[in-house]
């Protein structure tokens, strides 16, 4: 049998997890990454990784409750079997990382310490200071280096994925990639291709994401025929600090350790925040959400910041969404656990957050949506069939997607510290799928394909590059990107409305047109970053269209997707009977909204733009329910809803409807 | 307000280098990666000559990935956390950027640091576990030991320490402070220490611990305040003990 290869694109947590598992099983992996893998965006993850643990278990926690928090936090938009499997694996994933040497914080007895994160009442989050993602990435990087030293992994760092190689039947046979230094373009034949290429923050100009998170790889796979799902669900993190080049995250762990969010009750009070007495501070999350307090899910915290800053005009800085994140009252021990992020604030803002409340702002942070991937449900467990050839596979046979680049695990809103889990979990479970695939190769081997398939695959990329380098145009790709980012940030983030979404779509069409007229300021054939950026801009424009049109079509509020025009008015009657009646009306409206919109948005690329259809969501394990987080006055909705008995009739079959918008 | 940025450029690894100066309008809170972004968008020199954008390495922009390391006003550091107003306070009106000098230049400010990753292979900078199947948690670790490991584990392989090290150069095979510190990190780990002797063997050899000239420059430039000289001192002592054990065959 000819030698088999797997291509993994992207060397963050997900890509490294699958690479080490495949190498352990004796498979040869080409690992392709735009940066040395140790510099991947996973380093920016700060707060921690979730799973049920011995402490929470004794407080009544379970894998099931972790799943419940995850799907409730995600507003029930994710298929439940993959989430169940992920939460079941949580403890094992963290044990493995522990064995690999991740320096998790410890209790006096030497056990792993845990902190609380948003959207749960349990301390599920294991952490390594406030640089957990970096520490976990390094542990996996070290393991992959171990296999590299044994020649099972061949790294192609500073290489960029340009697209999958598809045969005439549409099966993936490898990838085309470009050396970002020499600009050489070459094919890599492979019997399985895994994309682990992260999110697409650059679509919004500046975000908390790294410069490499352009969505370029996802955009290219989408263009080649892989569907893109739930693109309109984009997480805006409530707490970041603005910068001229990027927006820097201030981890939820600051609140997990006891940090509090507040604004002065007097609009634009210009006193030193430390001198404002408690009675003149508005701790709006604590007041409005007594149960979860500062640890409500991110979409809710972000919207409340918007409400307080815009509707109540209480922003700390006029004209912006700025509130205080206050850790000045924390113990020295808690502050030490946050050193990693407090250093960032101090270095970039020049103010010591241990002494002065931080000024923080919401920022685009995470793509819940991503490339559509399949899974096979295990009817006996409600989880997944491990090793099924369907798990994490796109619509293109042989092309798999894991990590933030897929859409699978977080629904309409991701809970903090679940992303490190989903990245590593999806990387670990796609490995047995690929090992099984390599044993049987249902569509034949890449080595048996005609050489011309691979030779010809390079040509269009080479031609595109030569054409672009010599193109005389008037548009500047960086300025075009800024324009795109400004529009997307203004109209397609926290609050959305159809009028602005429509005008944004028109703008995207205009930018797309102008993109045809870009000129490079660098005409060279050596380390041309201008070219790489301009290529990615094309992908950003395409994904911007998918995100914006998906948002326009979805006439409801769900998780991070908030359209006030379609919000169900909250009950506000004083008198109990009237309130109950209003709650009844609310619940009926909620039921109708779920019937129509509890569906996965699926976008398919066509030359004329995306074509949308909707698929049923597998909610067979936990019936959907209103998402209130103990909001003041929501008790009555919950009572009425539980009496209605919706979705209590037992596990449903998974139905997949293809084609057509929901009725 | 405007200020000038002088950048040492080089078109390819085989070309000579040359200086180019750009004039930038100041922005509030501006850092050097912003300056490089603005140049990329509008690559025009101070003499109003169009030029190619300056090539540079950058990713996270919050000083945790190590990509944008370069020599700024004569000191090696990350461009993202180099704030313009502080640099101008040090040296008014002109900021100087050049690539690191201890690595081959690819183009402009991009250098090839792959040798640093290669060294990590030689010193087996990993924990050799039995496998990735479920074997329960790792060893219990006292908080004090975690407190010592965590700072060493924050090394971004950025190259600041070797750039500042007089012993790390073309004429020496010194593996450098970062790699020595990684040896001490893994040798202290309950499972990682199974490879301790193999690591000491590398430290005993040419370019190992004896090549350190004790200039202590490394610890001064480390952006993560890693106690590199403590690691080196401990590594020196432990390597001597290892050699003694080896000579006496125990």
């Amino acid at each position: 049998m000819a030698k088999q290869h797997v291509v993994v694109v992207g060397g963050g947590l997900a890509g490294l997890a699958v690479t080490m598992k495949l190498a352990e099983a004796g498979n040869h992996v080409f690992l392709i990454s735009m940066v040395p893998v140790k510099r991947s965006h996973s380093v920016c993850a700060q707060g921690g990784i979730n799973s049920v643990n011995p402490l929470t278990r004794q407080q009544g926690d379970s894998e099931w409750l972790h799943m419940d928090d995850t799907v409730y936090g995600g507003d029930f938009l994710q298929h439940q079997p993959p989430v169940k499997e992920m939460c079941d694996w949580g403890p094992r994933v963290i044990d493995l990382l522990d064995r690999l040497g991740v320096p998790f914080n410890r209790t006096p007895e030497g056990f792993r310490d845990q902190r609380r994160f948003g959207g749960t009442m349990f301390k599920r989050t294991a952490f390594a200071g406030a640089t957990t993602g970096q520490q976990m990435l390094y542990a996996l990087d070290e393991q992959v280096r171990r296999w590299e030293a044994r020649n099972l992994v061949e790294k192609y760092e500073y290489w960029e994925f340009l697209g999958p190689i598809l045969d005439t039947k549409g099966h993936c046979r490898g990838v085309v990639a470009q050396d970002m230094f020499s600009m050489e373009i070459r094919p890599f034949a492979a019997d399985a291709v895994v994309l682990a290429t992260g999110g697409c923050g650059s679509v919004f100009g500046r975000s908390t994401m790294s410069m490499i998170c352009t969505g370029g790889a996802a955009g290219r796979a989408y263009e080649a025929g892989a569907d893109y799902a739930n693109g309109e669900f984009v997480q805006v993190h409530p707490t970041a600090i603005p910068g001229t080049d990027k927006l820097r995250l201030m981890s939820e762990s600051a609140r997990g350790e006891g940090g509090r969010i507040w604004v002065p009750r007097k609009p634009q009070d210009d006193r030193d925040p430390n001198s404002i007495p408690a009675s003149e501070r508005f701790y709006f999350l604590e007041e409005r959400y007594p149960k979860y307090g500062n640890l409500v899910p991110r979409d809710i915290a972000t919207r409340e910041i918007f409400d307080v800053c815009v509707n109540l005009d209480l922003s700390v800085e006029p004209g912006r969404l700025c509130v205080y994140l206050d850790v000045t009252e924390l113990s020295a021990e808690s502050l030490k656990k946050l050193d990693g992020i407090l250093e960032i604030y101090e270095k970039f803002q020049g103010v010591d957050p241990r002494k002065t409340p931080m000024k923080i702002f919401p920022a685009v942070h995470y793509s819940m949506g991503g490339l559509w991937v399949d899974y096979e449900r295990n009817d006996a467990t409600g989880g997944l069939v491990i090793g099924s050839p369907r798990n994490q596979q796109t619509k293109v046979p042989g092309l798999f997607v894991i990590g933030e680049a897929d859409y699978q695990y977080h629904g309409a809103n991701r809970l903090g510290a679940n992303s490190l889990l989903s990245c590593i979990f999806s990387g670990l479970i796609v490995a047995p799928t690929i090992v099984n695939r390599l044993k049987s190769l249902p569509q034949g081997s890449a080595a048996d394909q005609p050489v011309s398939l691979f030779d010809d695959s390079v040509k269009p990329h080479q031609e595109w590059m030569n054409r672009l380098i010599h193109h005389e145009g008037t548009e500047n790709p960086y300025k075009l990107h800024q324009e795109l980012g400004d529009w997307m940030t203004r109209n397609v983030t926290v609050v959305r409305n159809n009028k602005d979404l429509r005008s944004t779509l028109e703008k995207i069409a205009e930018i797309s047109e102008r993109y045809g007229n870009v000129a490079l300021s660098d005409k060279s054939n050596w380390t041309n970053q201008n070219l790489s950026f301009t290529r990615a801009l094309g992908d950003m424009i395409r994904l911007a269209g998918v995100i914006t049109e998906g948002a326009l079509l979805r006439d409801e509020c769900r998780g991070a997707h908030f359209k006030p025009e379609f919000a169900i008015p909250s009950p506000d009657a004083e008198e109990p009977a009237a309130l109950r009646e209003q709650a009844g009306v609310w619940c009926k409206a909620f039921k109708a909204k779920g019937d129509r919109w509890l569906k996965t948005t699926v976008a398919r690329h066509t030359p004329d733009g995306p074509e949308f259809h909707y698929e049923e969501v597998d909610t067979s394990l936990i019936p959907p329910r209103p998402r209130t987080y103990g909001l003041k006055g929501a008790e009555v909705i919950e009572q009425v809803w539980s009496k209605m008995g919706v979705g209590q009739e037992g596990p449903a079959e998974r139905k997949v409807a293809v084609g057509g918008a929901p009725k | 307000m405007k200020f000038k940025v002088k950048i040492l450029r080089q078109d390819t690894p085989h070309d000579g280098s040359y200086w180019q100066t750009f004039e930038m309008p100041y922005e509030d809170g501006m850092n050097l990666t912003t300056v490089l972004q603005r140049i990329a968008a509008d690559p025009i020199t101070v003499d109003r000559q169009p030029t190619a954008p300056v090539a540079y390495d950058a990713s996270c922009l919050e000083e945790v990935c190590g990509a944008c390391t370069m020599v700024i006003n004569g000191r090696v550091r990350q461009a993202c956390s180099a704030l313009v107003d502080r640099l101008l306070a040090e040296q008014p009106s002109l900021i100087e950027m050049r690539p690191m000098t201890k690595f081959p230049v690819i183009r402009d400010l991009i250098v090839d640091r792959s040798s640093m990753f290669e060294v990590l292979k030689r010193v087996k900078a990993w924990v050799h576990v039995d496998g990735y199947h479920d074997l329960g948690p790792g060893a219990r670790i006292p908080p004090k030991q975690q407190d010592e490991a965590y700072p060493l584990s924050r090394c971004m392989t950025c190259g600041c320490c070797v750039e500042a090290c007089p012993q790390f150069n073309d004429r020496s095979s010194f593996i450098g402070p970062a790699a020595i510190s990684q040896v001490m990190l893994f040798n202290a780990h309950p499972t990682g220490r199974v490879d301790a002797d193999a690591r000491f063997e590398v430290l005993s050899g040419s370019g190992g611990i004896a090549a350190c000239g004790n200039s202590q420059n490394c610890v001064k430039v480390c952006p993560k305040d890693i106690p590199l000289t403590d690691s080196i001192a401990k590594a020196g002592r432990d390597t001597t003990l290892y050699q003694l054990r080896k000579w006496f065959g125990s």
Side-chain angles (χ1 to χ4, degrees), chain A residues 50-71:
Chain A
N50 286 337
S51 88
V52 58
N53 55 65
L55 168 75
T56 64
R57 211 182 283 285
Q58 290 175 52
Q59 294 168 334
D61 194 17
S62 63
E63 285 82 353
W64 186 271
L65 287 183
H66 183 190
M67 169 176 65
D68 188 275
D69 280 337
T70 302
V71 297

Side-chain angles (χ1 to χ4, degrees), chain B residues 63-83:
Chain B
E63 208 194 68
V64 283
C65 81
C68 63
T69 311
M70 57 187 72
V71 179
I72 295 161
N73 283 357
R75 182 168 173 262
V76 67
R77 56 181 301 179
Q78 280 73 47
C80 64
S81 54
L83 301 184

Side-chain angles (χ1 to χ4, degrees), chain A residues 24 38-39 99 103-104 110 131 135 138 143 147 158 211 244-246 248 347-348 476 522 526-527 529, chain B residues 31 33-34 41 56-57 59-63 65 80 106-107 127 131-132 146 150 153 155-157:
Chain A
E24 183 191 32
K38 196 175 176 176
R39 313 205 191 285
R99 286 172 48 225
F104 286 115
T131 59
Q135 295 304 311
Y138 289 3
Q143 293 302 315
W147 298 110
Y158 293 110
M211 296 302 101
T244 43
D245 51 347
K246 88 168 285 200
R248 296 179 177 86
K347 274 195 180 164
F348 288 93
N476 179 323
D522 190 347
W526 179 262
T527 321
Q529 296 182 317
Chain B
N31 57 358
T33 38
T34 304
Y56 66 105
D57 226 345
S59 185
C60 81
L61 304 190
E62 51 195 54
E63 208 194 68
C65 81
C80 64
I106 300 292
R107 183 177 178 183
V127 175
Y132 304 132
Q146 193 269 349
Y150 177 67
S153 186
C155 174
M156 309 183 285
T157 323

Side-chain angles (χ1 to χ4, degrees), chain A residues 313-367:
Chain A
D313 190 28
L314 290 177
S315 180
V316 170
E317 285 190 0
R320 314 174 71 173
L321 305 180
C322 175
V323 301
Y324 288 124
L325 170 59
D326 193 342
V327 296
T328 58
E329 292 165 7
L330 300 193
S331 68
E333 196 192 338
S334 293
L335 288 174
K336 186 166 172 268
K337 293 182 196 170
L338 297 173
D339 262 343
I341 56 161
L342 300 182
E343 263 170 27
I344 292 178
Y345 191 86
E346 202 168 6
K347 274 195 180 164
F348 288 93
Q349 303 301 100
V351 175
D352 183 358
R354 297 164 194 88
K355 300 199 175 85
T356 307
M358 292 180 264
K359 283 184 184 177
I360 55 103
F361 305 75
V364 168
H365 180 57
Y366 190 88
S367 315

Side-chain angles (χ1 to χ4, degrees), chain A residues 216-276:
Chain A
R220 288 158 210 170
Y222 166 70
E223 195 183 11
D227 288 349
Y228 202 87
N230 289 345
E232 66 270 32
F233 292 94
V234 176
Q235 180 161 81
V236 179
H237 196 290
T239 62
I241 50 177
T244 43
D245 51 347
K246 88 168 285 200
L247 313 173
R248 296 179 177 86
L249 177 66
M250 277 298 114
S251 168
E252 196 165 291
S253 56
R255 284 171 283 144
E257 293 293 338
R260 303 172 75 188
I261 287 187
W262 61 277
V263 288
R265 288 192 188 270
K266 192 176 114 196
Q268 284 91 55
D269 193 330
D270 56 6
R271 283 178 290 176
D272 170 5
N274 283 319
S275 73
I276 300 177

